[in-house]
Amino acid sequence: MAHDAPTIAETLRRQGISRRGFLKFCATTASLMALPPSMVPAIAAALEKARRPSVIWLSFQECTGCTESLTRSHTPSIEGLILEQISLDYHHTLQAASGEAAEAAREAAMRENHGKYLLVVDGSIPLGNAGYSTIAGISNLDMLKETAAGAAAVIAVGSCAAYGGLPAALPNPTGAVPVSAIIKDKPVMNVPGCPPIPVVITGVLAHFLTFAALPELDDRGRPKVFYGESIHDRCYRRPFYDQGKFAETFDDEGARKGWCLFKLGCKGPVTYNACATTKWNQGVSFPIQSGHGCIGCSEPGFWDMGPLYKPLSMPIAPVQMMVGAAAAGGAIAGTAMAMRNRAAKKAAQAAHQKVTVDDLEKAK
Amino acid sequence: MTPLELLTWARGPGLSIALAICAFGILLRLFEIFSLGRKADLSKAREHSPGSGWRTILSRSLPPPGLMKRAPVTYIGGYVFHLGFAITLFFFVPHIELVRGLTGLSWPGLPTQVIDISAVAGLLALIAVLASRLSNPVKRLLSGFQDYLAWLLTFLPLATGYLAFHHLLIDYTLALALHILSVELLLVALPFTKLFHTVSVFVSRWYNGDIFGRKGVAS
Amino acid sequence: MPSTDSGAEHGNALPILNEIRHALARLLESGETSVIDLGALPMGPQDEAELLAALGEGEVEATINAGGPSSVRETAFHGVWLLTHRNEAGETLARFIEIAFVPELLMSQAEDVADSAAALAKKLGQAQNG
């Protein structure tokens, strides 16, 4: 990235976009970044100075769902983002180059933008056998370490990169770990979700390119603006939870009326994400609006946190057998205790000696 | 361990262990208590009073004349706590879901606003009876470690449940995990402390009423 | 998949209407404008229709063609404007309710005016020379 490269504001102006158009861009960017509209002047000021950052995107043990999600972002569109606002120098699914040329592009971007480029990772990293997942003959672990060394910051996109995800689900055959388990000396931001909401991915990228820094993170490394509140707290069906109106099955009266899905196993109360407000597919809907409870895909270890369709307050595993056995054990132990007590009583009775007044008189 | 993992443990192995200990303990104690028996009463009953035991179950739930004035905190606090606790326990929908998950039985719940009021009333009553226990010299003298333990074990589920529901102080997931864990502590301690009265209260009342009935004391 | 629930009332529009009421009071008292991002609020399928129906149609309607068409519409309540930003493909990017005498984006921007002044001067100069 040359230092005299045009700023983003200059690029937009060269494209014939007016100040008014720029302010509109800032307003939609604020909305995209989930920042309050009062931040628009600050965003405008930051974009006046911001330059196109170089982005390297690495895909490890993943399903490409995160990239599929990214390409469905409409604000800014991925085309707009790549062509105008960021320099996506390596992404083995989206780039035209392949083989050695692709790796050369990654190395060149790392060299030219050392210390300044943004590294985006999707997928988890296997620590078991290095051969479980390689790119161009390089193990995922080596490629991550090598590429993270010169990065300004690392964004772990998707639940696999953020928490281990599906590959790390029990019994975790590849020894999969998240990015944060390996990279300790760089700021690592987690953008979990399976996949994350498209505009959340572009939103955090927009934040980095606007302010040249990561947004404020919570204690699990997630951007607070998107993951600060639970689905349940921001759910439009929340009033029904409070009124005690629940769908009991997926096709009953309550389901048709759009009542709360808690009893059908909705994980909204323990899931922190922006689905309920940002929504999916250009803000059309999100799972709960479509009549299905949240499955908690953006929470750590969601594959192993119990059945999807059991309410949160229900036990995860059947306990009846164990409790029945314990009760039977209690009854047996109680009977044993009773027998011991009775034996003690009998013994006491047997040991009982009769004493008459005469005996006492004699004892004097 | 993340809060969600803690919650998963609490909903899984933790709950199984707690329920198993609770069931074991309750059966153990019931067998023990019932098998102890009483000394045969060789005296002739003063008067025949069938149903005396049953009447006592009810009458002992009402304050005897005069005591309401002498120990208002104990009585009012006791009532408010027990009612608030019972309403919160049995009519909050997630709790009913738990029972349904365990037994298949379910019944209609109450709106969260009602539950909220019950829980707050229960908490305030618990604080009031504790204050009375500590400030009243007689009560303080009579109180031992177990009394304070029972108080704490009852207070914690209400308090953590309240924090979880209102998202106060701690993250909801952690609060929910702590709430379930505190209930599990309560379940574990229930058979082996004075909390066993939840199981034995009406049995012992019937027994007392019946014995006093034989001795000619009206219930 | 669109929403499956129909006819349910969630009542999420009411708090927004109250927020608008307070914003109008602030506008009158101190001239302070407010902007509400509709994308940041929990809204069910009926809530939005309810909100828009409650706000109604006003006297002014404008389209801004800058980086895609944006519609600016005054609601039946004077000073309460509904802004919908779209990209070139017509996809909705963001929706705001702005409580102001005139929405910021309707006003010409100083930088654009300066550019235009220069452009007009250049045009006139060319015309005079030519």
Coordinates of all heavy atoms in Angstrom, one line a residue, chain B residues 116-151:
Chain B
D116 N -42.4 -12.0 39.0 CA -41.4 -11.0 39.5 C -41.8 -10.5 40.9 O -41.0 -10.5 41.8 CB -41.4 -9.9 38.5 CG -40.2 -9.1 38.6 OD1 -39.2 -9.6 39.1 OD2 -40.2 -7.9 38.1
I117 N -43.1 -10.2 41.0 CA -43.6 -9.7 42.3 C -43.4 -10.7 43.4 O -42.9 -10.5 44.5 CB -45.0 -9.2 42.2 CG1 -45.1 -8.0 41.3 CG2 -45.6 -8.9 43.6 CD1 -46.5 -7.7 40.8
S118 N -43.7 -12.0 43.1 CA -43.6 -13.1 44.1 C -42.2 -13.3 44.5 O -41.9 -13.4 45.7 CB -44.1 -14.4 43.5 OG -45.4 -14.2 42.9
A119 N -41.3 -13.2 43.5 CA -39.9 -13.5 43.8 C -39.3 -12.3 44.7 O -38.6 -12.6 45.7 CB -39.0 -13.6 42.6
V120 N -39.7 -11.1 44.4 CA -39.2 -10.0 45.2 C -39.8 -10.1 46.6 O -39.1 -9.9 47.6 CB -39.6 -8.6 44.5 CG1 -39.3 -7.5 45.5 CG2 -38.9 -8.4 43.2
A121 N -41.1 -10.4 46.7 CA -41.7 -10.6 48.0 C -41.0 -11.6 48.8 O -40.7 -11.5 50.0 CB -43.2 -10.9 47.9
G122 N -40.7 -12.8 48.2 CA -40.0 -13.9 48.8 C -38.6 -13.4 49.3 O -38.2 -13.7 50.5
L123 N -37.9 -12.7 48.5 CA -36.6 -12.2 48.9 C -36.6 -11.2 50.0 O -35.9 -11.4 51.0 CB -35.9 -11.5 47.7 CG -35.3 -12.4 46.6 CD1 -35.0 -11.7 45.3 CD2 -34.1 -13.1 47.1
L124 N -37.6 -10.3 50.0 CA -37.7 -9.3 51.0 C -38.1 -10.0 52.4 O -37.5 -9.7 53.4 CB -38.7 -8.2 50.7 CG -38.3 -7.3 49.5 CD1 -39.4 -6.3 49.2 CD2 -37.0 -6.5 49.9
A125 N -39.0 -11.0 52.3 CA -39.4 -11.7 53.5 C -38.2 -12.5 54.1 O -38.0 -12.5 55.3 CB -40.5 -12.7 53.1
L126 N -37.4 -13.1 53.2 CA -36.2 -13.8 53.7 C -35.3 -12.8 54.4 O -34.7 -13.2 55.5 CB -35.5 -14.5 52.5 CG -36.0 -15.9 52.2 CD1 -35.2 -16.4 50.9 CD2 -35.8 -16.8 53.3
I127 N -35.1 -11.7 53.8 CA -34.2 -10.7 54.5 C -34.8 -10.3 55.8 O -34.1 -10.2 56.8 CB -33.9 -9.5 53.5 CG1 -33.1 -10.0 52.3 CG2 -33.2 -8.4 54.3 CD1 -33.1 -9.0 51.2
A128 N -36.1 -10.0 55.8 CA -36.7 -9.6 57.1 C -36.6 -10.7 58.2 O -36.3 -10.4 59.3 CB -38.2 -9.3 56.8
V129 N -36.8 -11.9 57.8 CA -36.8 -13.0 58.9 C -35.3 -13.2 59.4 O -35.1 -13.5 60.5 CB -37.4 -14.3 58.5 CG1 -38.9 -14.2 58.2 CG2 -36.7 -14.9 57.2
L130 N -34.4 -13.0 58.4 CA -33.0 -13.1 58.9 C -32.6 -11.9 59.8 O -32.0 -12.2 60.9 CB -32.0 -13.0 57.7 CG -30.6 -13.1 58.0 CD1 -30.2 -14.5 58.6 CD2 -29.6 -12.8 56.9
A131 N -33.1 -10.7 59.5 CA -32.8 -9.6 60.3 C -33.4 -9.8 61.7 O -32.8 -9.5 62.8 CB -33.4 -8.3 59.7
S132 N -34.6 -10.3 61.7 CA -35.3 -10.6 63.0 C -34.6 -11.7 63.8 O -34.4 -11.6 65.0 CB -36.8 -11.0 62.7 OG -37.3 -11.8 63.7
R133 N -34.1 -12.7 63.1 CA -33.4 -13.8 63.7 C -32.1 -13.2 64.4 O -31.7 -13.7 65.5 CB -33.0 -14.8 62.7 CG -32.4 -16.1 63.3 CD -32.0 -17.1 62.2 NE -33.0 -17.9 61.6 CZ -33.5 -19.0 62.1 NH1 -33.1 -19.4 63.2 NH2 -34.4 -19.7 61.4
L134 N -31.4 -12.3 63.7 CA -30.2 -11.8 64.2 C -30.4 -10.7 65.3 O -29.6 -10.6 66.2 CB -29.4 -11.1 63.1 CG -28.8 -12.1 62.0 CD1 -28.2 -11.3 60.9 CD2 -27.7 -12.9 62.7
S135 N -31.5 -10.0 65.2 CA -31.7 -8.9 66.2 C -32.4 -9.4 67.5 O -32.2 -8.8 68.5 CB -32.4 -7.7 65.6 OG -33.7 -8.2 65.1
N136 N -33.2 -10.4 67.3 CA -33.9 -10.9 68.5 C -33.0 -11.9 69.3 O -32.6 -12.9 68.8 CB -35.2 -11.6 68.0 CG -36.0 -12.1 69.1 OD1 -35.5 -12.7 70.1 ND2 -37.3 -11.9 69.0
P137 N -32.7 -11.5 70.6 CA -31.8 -12.3 71.3 C -32.2 -13.8 71.5 O -31.3 -14.7 71.5 CB -31.7 -11.6 72.7 CG -32.7 -10.5 72.7 CD -33.2 -10.3 71.3
V138 N -33.5 -14.0 71.7 CA -34.0 -15.4 71.9 C -33.7 -16.2 70.6 O -33.2 -17.3 70.6 CB -35.5 -15.4 72.3 CG1 -35.9 -16.8 72.4 CG2 -35.7 -14.6 73.6
K139 N -34.2 -15.6 69.5 CA -34.0 -16.3 68.2 C -32.5 -16.5 67.9 O -32.2 -17.6 67.4 CB -34.6 -15.5 67.1 CG -36.1 -15.6 67.0 CD -36.5 -14.8 65.7 CE -38.0 -14.7 65.6 NZ -38.4 -13.8 64.5
R140 N -31.7 -15.5 68.3 CA -30.3 -15.7 68.0 C -29.7 -16.8 68.8 O -28.9 -17.6 68.3 CB -29.5 -14.4 68.2 CG -28.2 -14.3 67.5 CD -27.6 -13.0 67.5 NE -27.4 -12.5 68.8 CZ -27.4 -11.2 69.2 NH1 -27.6 -10.3 68.3 NH2 -27.1 -10.9 70.4
L141 N -30.1 -16.9 70.0 CA -29.7 -18.0 70.9 C -30.1 -19.4 70.4 O -29.3 -20.3 70.5 CB -30.2 -17.8 72.3 CG -29.6 -18.7 73.4 CD1 -28.2 -18.3 73.7 CD2 -30.5 -18.6 74.6
L142 N -31.3 -19.4 69.8 CA -31.8 -20.7 69.3 C -31.2 -21.1 68.0 O -31.3 -22.2 67.6 CB -33.3 -20.6 69.2 CG -34.1 -20.6 70.5 CD1 -35.6 -20.3 70.2 CD2 -34.0 -21.9 71.3
S143 N -30.6 -20.1 67.3 CA -30.1 -20.4 65.9 C -28.8 -21.1 65.9 O -27.9 -20.6 66.6 CB -30.1 -19.1 65.1 OG -31.3 -18.5 65.1
G144 N -28.6 -22.1 65.1 CA -27.3 -22.7 64.9 C -26.9 -22.6 63.5 O -27.6 -22.0 62.6
F145 N -25.7 -23.2 63.2 CA -25.2 -23.1 61.8 C -26.2 -23.5 60.8 O -26.3 -22.9 59.7 CB -23.9 -24.0 61.8 CG -23.4 -24.2 60.4 CD1 -22.7 -23.1 59.7 CD2 -23.6 -25.4 59.7 CE1 -22.3 -23.3 58.4 CE2 -23.1 -25.6 58.4 CZ -22.5 -24.5 57.8
Q146 N -26.9 -24.6 61.1 CA -27.8 -25.2 60.1 C -28.9 -24.2 59.7 O -29.4 -24.2 58.6 CB -28.4 -26.5 60.7 CG -28.3 -27.6 59.7 CD -29.4 -28.6 60.0 OE1 -30.5 -28.4 59.8 NE2 -28.9 -29.8 60.6
D147 N -29.3 -23.4 60.7 CA -30.4 -22.5 60.4 C -29.9 -21.4 59.3 O -30.7 -21.1 58.4 CB -30.9 -21.8 61.6 CG -31.4 -22.8 62.6 OD1 -32.6 -23.2 62.4 OD2 -30.7 -23.1 63.6
Y148 N -28.7 -21.0 59.5 CA -28.2 -20.0 58.6 C -27.9 -20.6 57.2 O -28.1 -20.0 56.2 CB -26.9 -19.3 59.2 CG -27.2 -18.5 60.4 CD1 -26.8 -18.9 61.7 CD2 -28.0 -17.3 60.3 CE1 -27.1 -18.2 62.8 CE2 -28.3 -16.6 61.5 CZ -27.9 -17.0 62.7 OH -28.2 -16.3 63.8
L149 N -27.4 -21.9 57.3 CA -27.2 -22.6 56.0 C -28.5 -22.7 55.2 O -28.5 -22.5 54.0 CB -26.6 -24.0 56.3 CG -26.3 -24.8 55.1 CD1 -25.1 -24.2 54.3 CD2 -26.0 -26.3 55.4
A150 N -29.5 -23.1 55.9 CA -30.8 -23.3 55.3 C -31.3 -22.0 54.7 O -31.8 -22.0 53.5 CB -31.8 -23.9 56.2
W151 N -31.1 -20.9 55.4 CA -31.5 -19.6 54.9 C -30.7 -19.3 53.6 O -31.3 -18.9 52.6 CB -31.2 -18.5 56.0 CG -31.7 -17.2 55.6 CD1 -32.9 -16.6 55.8 CD2 -30.9 -16.2 54.8 NE1 -32.9 -15.4 55.2 CE2 -31.8 -15.1 54.6 CE3 -29.6 -16.2 54.3 CZ2 -31.3 -14.0 53.9 CZ3 -29.2 -15.1 53.6 CH2 -30.1 -14.0 53.4

